Amino acid sequence: MITLRKLLWLLNRRKREAELRAELEFHMEEEAGDSSSARRELGNPTLLAEDTRAVWEWRLLEQFLQDLRYAFRTMAANKSFSALAILSLGLGIGANTAIYSFMDSILMRALPVQNPESLVVMNWQSNPPHGLFSSSTVLHALSGSIYSNKPGIIAGIFPYGAFELFQKNDSVLSTVFAFRPTREINITINGAADLSTGEFVSGDYFRALNVPPAAGRLILSDDDRAGAQPVAVLSYAYSQKRFGGTSAAPGQSILINNLPFTVVGVAPPEFFGVDPSTSPDIYIPLHTNMLGTVHPFGMKPSEYHDQNSYWLEIMARLRPGVTLAQAQAALAPPFHQWAASTASTDQERANLPVLTIRNGAEGLDSLRRQFSKPLYVLMTMVGLILAIACANVANPLLARSASRSREMALRLSVGAGRARVIRQLLTESVLLAALGGIAGILFAIWGIRFLTILLANGEANFTLHADLNWHVLTVAAALSLLTGILFGIAPALRSTRVDLISALKEVRASQPAAHHKHWRISLNHLLVVSQIAVSLLMLVGAGLFVRTLQNLQSIDIGFNREHVLLFQLDARQAGHQDPELCTFYGELRNKF
């Protein structure tokens, strides 16, 4: 730990150096009567002074400060090269930082809830031989996200009966909760209507996630039952938008698809649910869809308890000390038996879905499945760009190392160690990379905004918002350090591999030693060839991408796309009921 006394002792450098010189002169006078004898007895006074400094405290820090000052002077003497190197490295580091910020947001960030590592997500996988909805499978109806898992499928949607089955198994699960996104719903507040996103949640949803309310209370188990008073919980942002603050929302009466609801509370500002790809404006109890007009994806109330209709997403929290493997072993057999009870033929019993439980710390993986591959491709491309930038900087440094051969020879001849000189040269390259990293942070801020707009593609409620948190900044710092070492190590090694006698005899410092010229040219050629190869690879990839875009634009879709407007309309959300729906749609069509 640095104390004030040690810091003052370190900063008082001039006094310590004067004391060292006086002490060396004293010993030289004691050892011999003349200075030449003293030099023979004690050796090189400069080297002796350096060895004496080596036993002082903070030696490494002092040497680092010396190297840093020298690196700044070297950069000031080569302003044009330094500026171009910093700009080149800044673009490469900034691009990598921007892409990594999205990868951190999508692939690595845990849900903003307490103890997310104990959450699990229920999935199943199946290998139906004749398609999903054939007579050979119990999957009579599917409503939700389904992913290919060759040769079969994988999904996280279950019938309501499976949810009740998991609730009964409390040996490994402390809490089980279910949820389902709604379609766009019509919310009317004080006569002003708005289309918003919502989510059906079970009564234990907020309790299992251990989420505190920002105002009022959240949905409870008593709210999620048939015949209960319809209640709703608003997101923090939606309460700010429609009520001007969280405190004004609880107790308010609103209409959801023309049905009255009472707002009982507001979720905390950092909470967006358990699916990073969505951010619901409003949460309503799961049994609300029994009212008939508020339902997910057109589900009829009669389908709510259909054991062959898969539509409900389920998560749970493990009991303390229970592992994922233990939960899988405890829940898979009961689910298999339950699924077998829903089969009516031998073919259905032979193709039952198999339960798989995965870690739920990051929530649902729909966003990761959508963007992970494109982000990995982008990360590879910007990594190659950074490699080209490193080669661009390494080439001039190699050329400059040849002109500094006499300087390096002089340093080595007066006693400087090769490792010490390499460290000083690496300090120069790392300083360049550090300044490039600072510039890269500025480029990354712009890059994150650009990529957000690009990925959103005009979507108003786009939920993916990357930022420069401490994880991303740590990676940027590590990337700057690695980059500085990467492009600086070869020039540093080259600079210290000099023939001292021939280098010191050179009349002009710009003439490199003859027997090192071939080594330098070979490395330069290798870097140039690598740059050209990587650049051609990226150029071909960019050309293929542009060709794909041109092909997509030229596809004949069978009608004139100019001035075409697409929209959806659900008259039920405005309160229209059968049999007037046909009359309403007919009159609306005639008006157009």
Side-chain angles (χ1 to χ4, degrees):
M1 183 176 180
I2 299 178
T3 63
L4 179 60
R5 181 179 177 182
K6 290 181 178 180
L7 185 60
L8 292 175
W9 181 77
L10 173 64
L11 295 176
N12 197 8
R13 181 181 182 84
R14 292 184 178 179
K15 181 179 178 181
R16 293 168 52 214
E17 290 288 348
E19 292 174 351
L20 176 59
R21 287 194 298 270
E23 186 173 357
L24 286 175
E25 291 175 359
F26 172 77
H27 284 293
M28 291 173 67
E29 293 176 358
E30 288 290 330
E31 290 290 337
D34 58 275
S35 60
S36 59
S37 175
R39 289 181 184 275
R40 287 193 299 272
E41 293 291 335
L42 296 177
N44 190 330
T46 304
L47 182 60
L48 183 61
E50 188 69 22
D51 293 337
T52 304
R53 295 188 189 98
V55 300
W56 290 353
E57 293 188 42
W58 310 101
R59 178 176 60 89
L60 291 178
L61 180 58
E62 284 186 289
Q63 292 179 354
F64 172 72
L65 293 177
Q66 291 174 359
D67 295 342
L68 200 60
R69 287 193 297 269
Y70 186 82
F72 274 115
R73 290 198 300 268
T74 304
M75 289 176 57
N78 300 272
K79 296 183 179 64
S80 298
F81 166 74
S82 300
L84 290 175
I86 291 171
L87 179 61
S88 178
L89 294 172
L91 288 172
I93 295 174
N96 281 268
T97 303
I99 298 300
Y100 181 80
S101 66
F102 280 91
M103 297 184 68
D104 174 74
S105 179
I106 295 175
L107 306 178
M108 307 173 191
R109 191 171 301 179
L111 292 175
V113 299
Q114 294 187 19
N115 194 20
E117 59 274 5
S118 66
L119 293 173
V120 293
V121 179
M122 303 298 180
N123 288 154
W124 55 262
Q125 56 185 5
S126 177
N127 301 317
H130 304 297
L132 292 179
F133 303 104
S134 66
S135 59
S136 63
T137 175
V138 296
L139 310 172
H140 294 177
L142 295 172
S143 178
S145 299
I146 304 168
Y147 305 101
S148 175
N149 185 35
K150 295 181 180 180
I153 58 171
I154 188 170
I157 48 178
F158 293 84
Y160 190 82
F163 174 53
E164 294 177 321
L165 172 71
F166 295 140
Q167 283 183 311
K168 295 176 183 177
N169 196 322
D170 57 357
S171 60
V172 294
L173 304 177
S174 61
T175 318
V176 182
F177 58 97
F179 49 95
R180 185 62 189 164
T182 70
R183 297 182 300 176
E184 282 192 330
I185 52 180
N186 189 3
I187 301 179
T188 305
I189 301 175
N190 298 326
D194 184 25
L195 284 178
S196 304
T197 58
E199 190 167 65
F200 293 107
V201 299
S202 64
D204 288 331
Y205 179 85
F206 290 103
R207 184 176 70 87
L209 294 173
N210 201 7
V211 175
R217 68 172 178 86
L218 303 178
I219 293 174
L220 304 175
S221 298
D222 289 340
D223 298 321
D224 184 29
R225 56 182 176 82
Q229 179 70 26
V231 298
V233 170
L234 305 182
S235 70
Y236 187 89
Y238 195 71
S239 68
Q240 295 279 343
K241 174 184 174 182
R242 298 304 301 270
F243 292 101
T246 58
S247 59
Q252 295 288 338
S253 179
I254 63 175
L255 295 178
I256 302 179
N257 287 359
N258 246 19
L259 293 174
F261 281 75
T262 301
V263 178
V264 295
V266 178
E270 69 278 0
F271 184 72
F272 55 80
V274 294
D275 187 355
S277 66
T278 62
S279 182
D281 295 322
I282 188 168
Y283 303 87
I284 52 181
L286 196 61
H287 274 79
T288 304
N289 103 82
M290 296 293 287
L291 295 174
T293 57
V294 182
H295 47 76
F297 294 95
M299 172 177 286
K300 298 178 181 179
S302 59
E303 298 173 339
Y304 192 87
H305 291 286
D306 188 348
Q307 293 186 332
N308 296 107
S309 179
Y310 287 66
W311 60 279
L312 191 63
E313 299 180 88
I314 303 174
M315 289 183 65
R317 190 177 286 275
L318 298 175
R319 288 193 174 278
V322 177
T323 64
L324 195 65
Q326 291 173 334
Q328 176 74 36
L331 296 175
F335 176 76
H336 180 81
Q337 296 175 4
W338 179 87
S341 69
T342 66
S344 56
T345 65
D346 291 339
Q347 285 184 328
E348 290 184 349
R349 295 185 186 93
N351 299 289
L352 297 175
V354 178
L355 180 70
T356 59
I357 303 177
R358 67 170 186 82
N359 187 283
E362 294 86 17
L364 303 187
D365 61 353
S366 56
L367 200 64
R368 289 186 290 276
R369 290 179 180 273
Q370 181 179 0
F371 291 111
S372 59
K373 288 184 179 180
L375 284 177
Y376 280 126
V377 172
L378 285 175
M379 194 68 184
T380 302
M381 293 178 62
V382 297
L384 293 175
I385 292 174
L386 183 59
I388 294 176
C390 289
N392 285 337
V393 178
N395 264 326
L397 287 180
L398 278 172
R400 198 172 68 175
S401 67
S403 65
R404 300 176 68 180
S405 59
R406 190 177 184 184
E407 173 193 348
M408 297 299 112
L410 183 60
R411 290 188 181 191
L412 294 172
S413 65
V414 296
R418 186 165 179 255
R420 177 73 178 85
V421 175
I422 290 176
R423 191 173 67 192
Q424 191 273 317
L425 294 174
L426 283 179
T427 302
E428 295 180 26
S429 60
V430 170
L431 178 60
L432 276 175
L435 295 176
I438 295 173
I441 296 299
L442 301 178
F443 286 123
I445 295 174
W446 175 84
I448 289 172
R449 294 175 181 174
F450 173 76
L451 284 174
T452 301
I453 296 173
L454 185 66
L455 294 175
N457 195 25
E459 184 180 342
N461 295 323
F462 188 64
T463 58
L464 178 55
H465 297 288
D467 56 1
L468 293 176
N469 55 41
W470 68 272
H471 294 98
V472 178
L473 293 177
T474 300
V475 170
L479 191 61
S480 300
L481 177 62
L482 178 63
T483 300
I485 296 175
L486 184 64
F487 72 75
I489 188 66
L493 293 175
R494 163 67 186 89
S495 297
T496 55
R497 288 182 178 179
V498 295
D499 185 353
L500 299 183
I501 297 177
S502 60
L504 290 174
K505 286 181 177 180
E506 290 174 6
V507 179
R508 291 180 297 173
S510 60
Q511 294 177 343
H515 65 282
H516 290 300
K517 186 176 181 180
H518 178 71
W519 184 89
R520 178 178 62 84
I521 293 177
S522 299
L523 184 56
N524 282 345
H525 287 174
L526 178 62
L527 290 173
V528 171
V529 170
S530 301
Q531 286 178 269
I532 295 174
V534 174
S535 298
L536 286 176
L537 178 64
M538 296 185 67
L539 183 61
V540 171
L544 293 175
F545 179 72
V546 171
R547 181 64 180 271
T548 301
L549 290 180
Q550 289 178 342
N551 291 337
L552 290 175
Q553 290 291 333
S554 61
I555 292 177
D556 185 7
I557 58 178
F559 61 88
N560 186 4
R561 295 175 291 185
E562 298 296 329
H563 308 295
V564 175
L565 177 65
L566 299 178
F567 65 92
Q568 293 179 335
L569 181 65
D570 189 347
R572 293 182 183 274
Q573 291 182 329
H576 295 278
Q577 302 292 334
D578 296 329
E580 63 173 309
L581 284 176
C582 293
T583 303
F584 172 80
Y585 285 127
E587 293 177 353
L588 184 64
R589 186 168 51 250
N590 292 333
K591 290 180 180 179
F592 285 99

